[in-house]
Amino acid sequence: MGRGRPALSVVIPVHNEGGNIAPLIEEVVAVLGQTEHFEIVCVDDASTDSSLEVLKDLALAHPSLTVLAHQRQAGQSTALRNGVKAARGAWVATLDGDGQNDPADLPAMLAALRAAPATVKLVGGWRTDRRDSWSKRAGSRFANELRRWLLADGTPDTGCGIKLFQREAFLDLPYFDHMHRYLPALVQRVGWETMSVPVRHRERRSGKSNYTNIARARVGIADLFGVAWLMRRSRVVPVHRVTRPAMEIVSSAGAR
């Protein structure tokens, strides 16, 4: 990892995942270590278990790992944003800290991105075979259908934690709590394209979920209508830059 700025940053928000985070980091290193110039940024969201101590030990073993720690719990979207702000790569891959996302899917997502037009700024995972409880799958199915109806973002699964996006495009998005659930719509809102790639989904190794259907529904409905309002109020206009001294016209896609 001494070759300068990495091309890819893997950002992982962590909250009470002491039994899951070490195997996940080892998998990321094993999957990307031979093919990508990468770094890992883990953001501990004020865990009350052993997560932060485990991360500190991992950082000693893996120079590619940077650990950030929130002084108080702020939620997944804030952890994700702080991790992206600290990331040095032009592109960012995200994984949930519970280990249910499989890092082995990252090479296929990177290949899909490299084959896509330059206007694609986000590749999202699509969990075609969920390994969650029946109630959680049912809740997600309902939420996805409602979201697609309201936002028309053409995305089958925005709740999947494994995503790949351009750092600059992400930091240009409006920030709010729980924004991580609406990234495809927010990216499309400013004129860029997104795509979805089927990925694996795994059962938890240990611990319990940090979310429940009731908790997600309580904030999700308000957020959904808020994002729908943002999309209705957006104006995307093509911009032409006139350079000097030749006054050459250069098109700029996706500008606001």
Side-chain angles (χ1 to χ4, degrees), residues 6 18 85 112 129 132 155 163 194 220 235 240:
K85 287 168 68 176
D129 184 16
D132 285 319
T155 304
K163 292 183 175 71
T194 67
R235 295 292 181 270
H240 296 280

Side-chain angles (χ1 to χ4, degrees), residues 27-212:
E27 285 183 295
V28 172
V29 172
V31 168
L32 297 179
Q34 300 303 313
T35 60
E36 303 292 335
H37 184 200
F38 73 100
E39 67 174 354
I40 305 171
V41 180
C42 285
V43 184
D44 181 75
D45 188 28
S47 294
T48 57
D49 69 349
S50 62
S51 294
L52 186 55
E53 293 306 314
V54 171
L55 286 169
K56 290 177 180 178
D57 290 341
L58 287 166
L60 294 175
H62 297 290
S64 59
L65 174 60
T66 297
V67 178
L68 307 178
H70 285 171
Q71 297 304 297
R72 61 178 183 275
Q73 188 176 356
Q76 186 170 346
S77 285
T78 302
L80 178 62
R81 182 172 173 80
N82 285 337
V84 174
K85 287 168 68 176
R88 298 180 298 140
W91 288 85
V92 173
T94 64
L95 296 164
D96 285 342
D98 57 15
Q100 289 194 265
N101 304 135
D102 191 342
D105 286 314
L106 289 173
M109 296 179 72
L110 286 163
L113 173 68
R114 287 162 180 159
T119 50
V120 173
K121 300 299 182 183
L122 181 145
V123 179
W126 175 13
R127 296 166 293 183
T128 55
D129 184 16
R130 291 284 298 271
R131 297 295 180 177
D132 285 319
S133 66
W134 177 88
S135 62
K136 196 169 183 179
R137 293 197 307 270
S140 293
R141 190 178 303 114
F142 172 77
N144 275 319
E145 290 298 329
L146 180 61
R147 172 192 46 76
R148 280 191 287 181
W149 177 66
L150 277 175
L151 304 185
D153 59 7
T155 304
D157 183 10
T158 62
C160 183
I162 186 168
K163 292 183 175 71
L164 178 64
F165 51 75
Q166 187 187 55
R167 178 180 182 272
E168 181 181 3
F170 174 87
L171 292 176
D172 196 38
L173 301 178
Y175 164 73
F176 55 90
D177 198 14
H178 297 278
M179 67 171 289
H180 66 280
R181 300 188 184 281
Y182 303 98
L183 287 182
L186 293 171
V187 169
Q188 292 171 22
R189 170 182 171 268
V190 293
W192 299 117
E193 295 181 75
T194 67
M195 61 187 297
S196 298
V197 173
V199 296
R200 289 173 282 266
H201 191 239
R202 309 185 292 194
E203 296 180 359
R204 270 183 163 271
R205 293 185 178 98
S206 67
K208 62 180 182 179
S209 174
N210 294 311
Y211 298 100
T212 65

